[in-house]
Each structure stands twice: as structure tokens, then as C-alpha cells.
Amino acid sequence: MVRAKCRRILGSGAEADEVAQDTFVRLWQEGPVQGAPHTVTAWIYRTATHLAIDRVRQRTRARRLAPEPPAPSPHPGDAALALDRLADRVPQTQLAAVLLHRVDGLSQRETAEVLGLTDRHVRRLIAAFDAADEP
């Protein structure tokens, strides 16, 4: 589940494997020690989302610093290409909320639970994202 989620964000199987592995290493090192299974699942989902967003931002910065133009994506319509464009201009929490809700298909309530926010805050983040995307 975590690897598939990371693959949807990153578009690369190798990167998705690395981020999924990093997520579980962090769980083992610093994750919630006690709690209901849904708390641990929310922690894993939130951590994987943030790590994947960080990876997209690193790729975007590396491309900007590269002396040659980047190679085109093999799937120009996929989510990874869109995320490359959004990575540096959308705050991490807002991008995570949009990804969890729109890409992963979580309800606003589930997104709020995963991110540790209120339903109202998630609605506002998504509305602000949509308003910024309008011409």
C-alpha cells in the first residue's frame, strides 16, 4: 500500500521503493510507540506522503541546477510531472492534503486524521489550492 502510494506520487518504482523503505525505517526508529492501529497507519501514510513530496522537491531543485535541460518524462501526463511543477510553490501541508484527497482518494475526514488536522482546515487547504489554480 505504501509503495503503491509512493509510486503514484513519484512515478518511479525505484524511488517509491526507497521512500517506502525510509518510511518503515523511520517507523522503527521514531514512530508512535503505542496507539491504536489506525494511529500507526495514519503516521505511516503521513510520513510516506511527506517523504515523497520531499523527494519530488529534491528532483525539481536538481533539474534547475543541471547544466542541460532535463529529459522529458516518459509519461508526460502522469502525477509526477504535475508534482514537479507544484513542488516549490505549494506548501507541504497543503500539497499533502491535496495528494491524500485527490490522488489517494481519502475523504476529507480521513485526510484530516492522517495529517492531524481538523476537517475544516483540510477543506480550507483544498479550497485555497483550487483557488490558486484558477485563472
Side-chain angles (χ1 to χ4, degrees):
M1 175 178 89
V2 173
R3 188 168 36 144
K5 172 211 187 358
C6 293
R7 182 174 278 207
R8 285 190 301 271
I9 294 172
L10 297 167
S12 164
E15 281 186 306
D17 289 345
E18 288 178 19
V19 170
Q21 182 177 353
D22 288 348
T23 299
F24 286 101
V25 167
R26 288 183 185 210
L27 174 64
W28 179 62
Q29 292 174 337
E30 62 193 60
V33 176
Q34 296 178 355
H38 73 278
T39 302
V40 175
T41 302
W43 187 95
I44 290 169
Y45 225 60
R46 179 176 57 248
T47 301
T49 301
H50 287 297
L51 289 174
I53 291 170
D54 289 345
R55 182 67 66 108
V56 170
R57 286 188 170 142
Q58 289 169 1
R59 276 194 321 222
T60 303
R61 287 183 195 118
R63 279 192 209 133
R64 267 193 256 127
L65 298 174
E68 299 176 16
S73 172
H75 306 288
D78 67 8
L81 183 59
L83 279 174
D84 285 350
R85 285 185 245 137
L86 292 172
D88 284 333
R89 60 185 183 96
V90 177
Q92 176 134 358
T93 303
Q94 184 179 37
L95 189 54
V98 171
L99 288 171
L100 289 167
H101 182 62
R102 301 256 169 86
V103 176
D104 293 335
L106 298 180
S107 69
Q108 288 183 359
R109 178 168 294 207
E110 291 167 331
T111 299
E113 184 177 327
V114 166
L115 295 176
L117 304 172
T118 64
D119 293 355
R120 183 178 184 191
H121 193 174
V122 168
R123 279 193 303 277
R124 286 182 174 179
L125 289 171
I126 293 170
F129 178 84
D130 291 342
D133 196 33
E134 293 175 359

